[in-house]
Amino acid sequence: QVQLVESGGGSVQPGNSLRLSCAASGSIVSRYSMAWFRQAPGNEREFVAYINWYGSTTYYADSVKGRFTISRDNAKNTVHLQMSSLKPEDTAVYYCATGPNPRDVLLTTSNEYVYWGQGTQVTVSS
C-alpha cells in the first residue's frame, strides 16, 4: 500500500503562485509515475500534470502549460506542483496520484493510477 498526503493548498488572488506538495509513504516501488489531477465543483476530475519515475519526462494539460511545473524528489518520496499566474478557473481540489508504470509510458487518465491522496483545495479569487 502507498499513502499520499497533499499539502500547500490555499486561497490566492489571480496572478499569484502556490506550490503544492505530495508526500508518499508505504510500499514505494520503483518505476511509479506520479501525476496531479484536479476537480472543480460540478466537473469531472481532470488531468493536470505528469512526471515519470526518473523525472526525465513531464507532460501538462494545455490549460496549465507554461504556468505549472511538476517535479519530484525520489530520495524524499515527494512530488511538487509549482503553480504560477493562477487564474480563477484553476480553482479546484487538487489530487496527487501514483501507480506502477513499468513501460514508462505517458499516463494521463485517472483510471491508470492506483493510489490517490485526499486532495487539497486551491481557490483563486479576487
Side-chain angles (χ1 to χ4, degrees), residues 13-107:
Q13 293 186 334
N16 283 2
S17 300
L18 276 176
R19 186 180 191 233
L20 304 184
S21 297
C22 174
S25 61
S27 304
I28 305 300
V29 182
S30 64
R31 298 189 179 180
Y32 269 39
S33 299
M34 299 195 79
W36 288 93
F37 289 78
R38 67 186 181 186
Q39 187 167 18
N43 291 356
E44 294 187 353
R45 191 170 297 187
E46 65 173 2
F47 167 80
V48 175
Y50 161 92
I51 189 166
N52 69 344
W53 165 257
Y54 307 99
S56 57
T57 300
T58 58
Y59 184 78
Y60 301 91
D62 288 342
S63 58
V64 307
K65 200 172 296 182
R67 300 188 297 121
F68 290 12
T69 302
I70 188 171
S71 61
R72 69 187 295 168
D73 183 342
N74 288 342
K76 297 181 179 180
N77 289 330
T78 57
V79 64
H80 305 286
L81 186 68
Q82 178 67 46
M83 306 185 295
S84 303
S85 302
L86 283 163
K87 304 175 181 180
E89 49 265 43
D90 294 318
T91 295
V93 177
Y94 283 70
Y95 297 92
C96 172
T98 190
N101 187 4
R103 293 167 53 210
D104 194 25
V105 297
L106 178 62
L107 304 177

